[in-house]
Amino acid sequence: MAFMPVALLCSLTILSFSSLSSSLSWNYYYKSCPQVESIVAQVVHDATSRDKTVPAALLRMHFHDCFIRGCDGSVLLESKGGKKAEKDGPPNRSLHAFYVIESAKRAVEAVCPGIVSCADILAFAARDSVVLSGGPRWDVPKGRKDGRTSRAIETTQLPSPAFNISQLQKSFSLRGLSMEDLVALSGGHTLGFSHCSSYQNRIHNFNSTHDVDPTLRRSFASSLKNICPVKNKAKNAGTTMDPSSTTFDNTYYKLILQRKTLFSSDQALLTTPKTKSLVYKFATSKKAFHTAFAKSMIKMSSINGGQEVRKDCRFVN
Ligand code: HEM
Ligand SMILES: *[C@@H]1O[C@H](CO)[C@@H](O)[C@H](O)[C@H]1NC(C)=O
Ligand SMILES: *[C@@H]1O[C@H](CO)[C@@H](O)[C@H](O)[C@H]1NC(C)=O
Ligand SMILES: CC(=O)N[C@H]1CO[C@H](CO)[C@@H](O)[C@@H]1O
């Protein structure tokens, strides 16, 4: 699998990014841009009232940003010349709503030019997205810098939906994240939508003995097959992550227990005693999920990277 060599090569760099996280602080913009969080919250709120898919998009965008080169806004950069940026790498189909971050940045620049990084704006926007969807609120550590590099090929460092538990554990631990972080953060899948291509492998030609992944509930697999036929499939076909896909509740964990989640990586959380007991805990208590999610988001969003404050989130200075 192409994932391994890249991941190994990059593991050292990723570890050194996470050790920089102590450079973040809670009151970073206290004097230089006290209004920044309310400005971003307003932009995210307005965008969400026009398009309900915005919160899921921004939450996932922040995750992708943090997992590649640390949370440094690398996901926001445009491809330049022949050099394709992360945005144009393979698992980019669900990344959208970049315009929301760009418009928040413009609004912030109008008040405090050159002060607030795009990476921080994305971290605020991800938090605001969760709050707007009925999830927990947390204080975002601040002071990230924007990076100057974004490479499409590096999106292969993102965990794949076909990953098993050991592959997921490895991907998270390379970034200083634990199994508890893995279970809590996977709860982001209570929001949003997935295209057929992300779970097609589970419902057609799964392996040489099973056409359909036997860990999927049969009735659920049939409905997925109707949405995603092998042939004549609509390019944008897919399904919501959970029936309450705009609400930040704990339905996702209940669905795992019912074998009705879309990805092998979701179902894999039942395959070790430790992760399984966390799935039970979060399925039983929305409060426990919310508390754990907030804590793990602070950890994930503290994986630091860049070196400048970009003027425009799409281009390096
Ligand atoms: C554990 C490893 C993870 C894997 C393998 C994974 C994989 C995926 C895949 C394949 C999709 C669907 C893409 C598509 O077909 O459109 C998706 C969507 C999504 N993911 Fe994850 N993900 C993981 C972790 C996370 C984390 C940590 C978060 C945030 C905390 C997150 C938040 C989301 C959201 C909100 C969506 C819906 C996006 C939208 O509707 O625009 N995921 N994920
Ligand atoms: C997970 O997948 C990897 C790579 O295919 C394999 O080496 C490993 O044994 C698998 N682990 C489990 C727990 O299935
Ligand atoms: C196919 O997958 C099922 C469920 O994971 C497993 O039990 C079976 O051994 C697999 N078959 C092959 C040939 O790998
Ligand atoms: C929206 C977008 O940028 N899509 C790109 C995703 O990546 C593929 C290549 O893997 C491009 O062909 C798409 O244009």
Side-chain angles (χ1 to χ4, degrees), residues 206-210 214:
F206 178 64
N207 66 17
S208 60
T209 49
H210 293 80

Side-chain angles (χ1 to χ4, degrees), residues 3-310:
F3 176 81
M4 288 309 172
V6 185
L8 288 178
L9 266 176
C10 297
S11 62
L12 284 175
T13 342
I14 289 165
L15 287 176
S16 66
F17 287 154
S18 44
S19 65
L20 282 176
S21 65
S22 56
S23 62
L24 300 182
S25 63
W26 304 107
N27 56 359
Y28 195 80
Y29 298 117
Y30 181 69
K31 289 213 171 103
S32 57
C33 195
Q35 319 90 312
V36 60
E37 287 184 80
S38 57
I39 295 171
V40 174
Q42 189 65 49
V43 172
V44 175
H45 174 273
D46 293 350
T48 302
S49 61
R50 284 186 292 267
D51 176 358
K52 297 284 173 246
T53 72
V54 162
L58 297 177
L59 178 60
R60 184 167 206 230
M61 195 186 291
H62 181 50
F63 158 56
H64 281 210
D65 189 29
C66 294
F67 263 53
I68 301 174
R69 298 183 170 268
C71 316
D72 69 339
S74 55
V75 71
L76 304 169
L77 288 170
E78 295 291 320
S79 297
K80 210 176 128 196
K83 297 201 169 132
K84 278 195 174 186
E86 285 166 35
K87 258 183 196 179
D88 294 317
N92 57 8
R93 293 197 57 188
S94 71
L95 292 185
H96 65 283
F98 288 103
Y99 72 91
V100 180
I101 301 303
E102 285 151 21
S103 109
K105 173 68 169 175
R106 279 193 301 273
V108 171
E109 287 296 293
V111 178
C112 346
I115 303 286
V116 184
S117 66
C118 296
D120 273 355
I121 289 175
L122 180 50
F124 297 145
R127 186 267 321 271
D128 298 340
S129 295
V130 170
V131 172
L132 281 171
S133 311
R137 173 183 290 281
W138 63 90
D139 272 343
V140 176
K142 308 157 185 71
R144 292 168 197 76
K145 291 284 189 290
D146 297 322
R148 297 181 52 83
T149 308
S150 180
R151 294 195 183 105
I153 179 77
E154 292 180 353
T155 57
T156 56
Q157 294 168 25
L158 291 165
S160 146
F163 271 10
N164 64 30
I165 196 71
S166 34
Q167 293 168 306
L168 290 167
Q169 172 169 31
K170 184 163 182 205
S171 171
F172 275 63
S173 70
L174 280 171
R175 286 138 178 115
L177 300 172
S178 67
M179 292 295 256
E180 173 146 17
D181 296 322
L182 168 65
V183 181
L185 291 171
S186 294
H189 290 168
T190 183
L191 295 183
F193 176 88
S194 170
H195 296 83
C196 292
S197 54
S198 301
Y199 54 85
Q200 198 81 2
N201 69 311
R202 298 183 80 195
I203 53 173
H204 304 290
N205 291 318
F206 178 64
N207 66 17
S208 60
T209 49
H210 293 80
D211 182 45
V212 173
D213 183 344
T215 64
L216 265 179
R217 182 171 292 270
R218 260 171 188 279
S219 55
F220 184 62
S222 321
S223 69
L224 292 181
K225 286 181 97 147
N226 285 334
I227 300 165
C228 312
V230 192
K231 287 198 184 121
N232 307 324
K233 57 168 185 270
K235 202 167 160 261
N236 290 319
T239 177
T240 54
M241 295 287 193
D242 92 18
S244 53
S245 67
T246 57
T247 312
F248 205 87
D249 55 19
N250 62 342
T251 309
Y252 168 77
Y253 298 99
K254 296 178 185 169
L255 292 172
I256 296 179
L257 296 175
Q258 294 165 26
R259 300 187 286 121
K260 283 159 65 171
T261 48
L262 298 177
F263 311 134
S264 303
S265 60
D266 301 320
Q267 198 62 44
L269 301 178
L270 288 185
T271 59
T272 73
K274 184 178 163 72
T275 52
K276 187 177 180 175
S277 74
L278 288 166
V279 170
Y280 272 97
K281 182 176 166 189
F282 298 154
T284 330
S285 167
K286 186 170 91 169
K287 191 161 178 272
F289 164 49
H290 281 182
T291 306
F293 186 81
K295 190 173 149 224
S296 294
M297 281 297 286
I298 291 172
K299 241 170 115 178
M300 181 179 84
S301 80
S302 302
I303 310 172
N304 210 351
Q307 47 290 130
E308 65 182 26
V309 172
R310 247 174 248 158

